[in-house]
Amino acid sequence: MQLRQVEIFALRMRLRHPFETSFGREDDREFLLVRAETEDFVGWGEVTVSRDPFYSYETVATAQSVLHDYLVPWVLARPIGHPDELGPRFAQVRGHQMAKSGLEGAVWDIYAQELGLPLSTALGGTRQEIEVGISIGIEPTAELLLKQVERFLGEGYRRFKIKIKPGVDYDRLKAVRKEFGAIPMMADANSAYTLDDLPLLQRLDDLDLMMIEQPLAYDDIIDHATLQKQLRTPICLDESIHGPGDLRKAIALGSGRILNVKIGRLGGLSESVQSHNLCQDAGWPVWCGGMLESGVGRLHNVAITTLPGFTLPGDTAASSRYWQEDIIEPEVIVSPRGTIQVPDAPGLGHKVREDMVRSMAHAHWAMRS
Ligand code: OSB
Ligand code: MG
């Protein structure tokens, strides 16, 4: 394929419910969308950055700059045979996985449409339906957390991830266990602890969590290996793994036992498939994480989750959990059994509301070959 134009849109979307983690609180999502076109097809990708460099060093501003000055010119310069070629083509830019992933995702969408296949099938996925869970932020009180869990249990979600931070951890999780019994439950610390917190982290073993996500530093795989040896609860890595290279080392070290696959953090769909394959070889289950995506990123998440190694429910909740109105049609919905139907139309399989995107964007860049 030869792309003839790539556009970048800067969007700000109001969350229906503020989302708080150990690194801060978000009331709005600020991110970029990428629209790529060939003579025959249009593809969409989402750059899952935030306004602030708190979860990752990437922001709206860094991604816009790297896309505009390097990545987009490099894709417009010559034809692409397969989306897997973009990783090597982008390699001279170090890091900036989310920027790379947003553009690569738009190319994958076009590639699947050229084959006449849903994106899921083009990626090698086989499921027609995926099981999903929900990620619940740090609520102001235990009572409000219990209300959230009750509501999402009623909506059918299959797994409950609860954000924790020092001082808002054991007692909160224990309250959920006491109220709701043996529900599938896990915790996400977003790097808020150190090895000095070993006694507290070992106490969490009593709660029979499915896993604890990223308890230690965002750039660590050594202390996580030390911790895993002293915990019964499996560790799931998020922030520490930026692609198949990091993952290979974490597997070798035993830094955890489960991977949270975020397409943006890993550098794209091709890198996510490779990471999934490494995990399958190592016997690590994987699941799809989230970055509070709009409908575009959400549909990419649905597609990757159809691969066979995604054996645990992910964070891909319904559009309506985040947005008053999503930018895709139809929106992503979750059945009362906690499942999402995988689209069977070519590419992303739902329509992107382009007029809405154009009118909402507070900045826009267009580049032609
Ligand atoms: O750590 O998984 C995380 C959201 C923003 C940044 C980091 C994380 C999250 C979530 C929300 O947990 C997942 C979602 O509902 O999209
Ligand atoms: Mg996480």
Side-chain angles (χ1 to χ4, degrees), residues 27-81:
D27 294 278
D28 300 297
R29 270 306 283 162
E30 290 190 37
F31 62 97
L32 301 171
L33 286 183
V34 177
R35 178 190 185 276
E37 65 177 61
T38 60
E39 201 171 322
D40 302 308
F41 298 103
V42 170
W44 289 89
E46 181 160 340
V47 183
T48 59
V49 285
S50 309
R51 186 192 53 218
D52 304 311
F54 298 165
Y55 168 81
S56 138
Y57 65 82
E58 290 190 80
T59 66
V60 172
T62 67
Q64 192 280 328
S65 148
V66 164
L67 280 161
H68 184 273
D69 295 349
Y70 300 96
L71 307 178
V72 173
W74 290 349
V75 295
L76 290 171
R78 57 194 165 87
I80 302 158

Side-chain angles (χ1 to χ4, degrees), residues 166-220:
V168 189
D169 40 39
Y170 184 87
D171 293 343
R172 284 288 173 97
L173 296 167
K174 178 88 189 171
V176 177
R177 266 282 173 262
K178 197 160 158 255
E179 186 75 17
F180 301 104
I183 60 169
M185 177 164 110
M186 61 174 286
D188 186 0
N190 288 107
S191 300
Y193 298 85
T194 71
L195 283 179
D196 292 342
D197 299 306
L198 184 63
L200 177 272
L201 294 167
Q202 284 179 321
R203 205 147 76 90
L204 297 181
D205 272 345
D206 306 343
L207 295 169
D208 285 315
L209 303 176
M210 297 167 76
M211 69 195 89
I212 176 163
E213 185 173 339
Q214 195 74 30
L216 307 180
Y218 74 94
D219 55 356
D220 168 78

